[in-house]
Amino acid sequence: ETGVTQTPRHLVMGMTNKKSLKCEQHLGHNAMYWYKQSAKKPLELMFVYNFKEQTENNSVPSRFSPECPNSSHLFLHLHTLQPEDSALYLCASSQDRLAEQYFGPGTRLTVT
Amino acid sequence: GDSVTQMEGPVTLSEEAFLTINCTYTATGYPSLFWYVQYPGEGLQLLLKATKADDKGSNKGFEATYRKETTSFHLEKGSVQVSDSAVYFCALINNNDMRFGAGTRLTVKP
């Protein structure tokens, strides 16, 4: 497995469910990111981790909870989501904050 | 703050036509500039980059030149193919922050 992988690729969940998105990077990078991509809206940066420490939280609602257990793995825990949270969630990694980011294929989330 | 502005789409071209997607930026200092491409159902892929003024990034027939005097990084390709249909994002990195443009959807018809 190479690059950045994300699982699952598709997820349908009810508003009362709890689920988690997983991201793994095989590039030896030190920074990891979560983005939200909604139709007809710009890419939104949600969270940034640098050397496993969260360095940025861009006013993301608490129903989204990130976790970075090590520099290769990043999770996004979801609970009591709203239909407007339906989107493509993209994970990315980079060698450091000054380097280009490499993206995973995304998880298409639908909240019913 | 820093920002990236790219031409609104969608852009529709016939196969073998010349492509230009305009991108301009606002930033203090000397940002690095990037173009990413997103094919349907996939994440963003790095297409090319340039890290200093007058650098030209190129990949898969696409080119972009870092123009500091006009704060631009326009994407060009001499002859597009149907397989180039995708959304293209211009981006910059400056002061540890990455900023993306809104994306330009390109459709190439046979």
Side-chain angles (χ1 to χ4, degrees):
Chain A
E1 198 74 74
T2 59
V4 181
T5 58
Q6 290 186 243
T7 55
R9 292 294 308 275
H10 300 272
L11 178 62
V12 179
M13 59 185 289
M15 290 190 285
T16 58
N17 290 159
K18 289 185 180 181
K19 296 286 184 182
S20 296
L21 310 185
K22 179 183 176 182
C23 174
E24 184 174 0
Q25 58 97 358
H26 308 267
L27 301 168
H29 289 168
N30 297 308
M32 297 187 77
Y33 312 79
W34 279 117
Y35 287 88
K36 177 183 179 182
Q37 187 177 37
S38 306
K40 302 187 189 303
K41 291 180 70 174
L43 205 58
E44 299 174 54
L45 178 63
M46 301 175 71
F47 301 104
V48 180
Y49 278 81
N50 199 26
F51 291 97
K52 301 188 297 179
E53 298 297 319
Q54 184 175 316
T55 59
E56 209 162 319
N57 173 345
N58 286 319
S59 304
V60 181
S62 59
R63 57 186 184 270
F64 294 91
S65 175
E67 179 190 1
C68 188
N70 55 62
S71 58
S72 298
H73 294 85
L74 186 63
F75 295 89
L76 188 62
H77 304 299
L78 316 171
H79 64 98
T80 59
L81 294 191
Q82 305 299 311
E84 60 264 29
D85 296 324
S86 299
L88 182 68
Y89 288 84
L90 292 165
C91 174
S93 71
S94 62
Q95 183 61 47
D96 54 51
R97 292 297 307 275
L98 293 174
E100 61 269 25
Q101 295 176 19
Y102 291 83
F103 285 78
T107 295
R108 173 69 61 187
L109 174 67
T110 303
V111 181
T112 61
Chain B
D2 298 346
S3 65
V4 177
T5 303
Q6 58 183 107
M7 63 187 287
E8 289 189 24
V11 174
T12 302
L13 296 173
S14 298
E15 206 165 23
E16 299 185 2
F18 185 86
L19 168 72
T20 299
I21 300 178
N22 290 337
C23 171
T24 56
Y25 67 90
T26 302
T28 56
Y30 303 93
S32 295
L33 302 175
F34 306 85
W35 276 101
Y36 282 82
V37 58
Q38 186 176 30
Y39 298 103
E42 299 183 14
L44 279 68
Q45 299 176 26
L46 179 64
L47 181 60
L48 54 82
K49 67 177 184 180
T51 57
K52 61 183 188 294
D54 300 325
D55 268 2
K56 177 186 283 188
S58 61
N59 186 24
K60 299 181 181 179
F62 291 90
E63 292 183 341
T65 300
Y66 190 141
R67 301 285 189 201
K68 188 161 179 63
E69 63 275 15
T70 54
T71 62
S72 65
F73 193 55
H74 304 321
L75 183 68
E76 297 182 335
K77 186 175 186 182
S79 176
V80 293
Q81 305 300 310
V82 172
S83 57
D84 293 326
S85 298
V87 181
Y88 292 82
F89 293 89
C90 185
L92 66 80
I93 292 177
N94 195 32
N95 297 324
N96 287 343
D97 281 336
M98 188 160 204
R99 305 280 177 175
F100 288 87
T104 302
R105 181 175 299 279
L106 169 68
T107 301
V108 180
K109 296 187 174 181

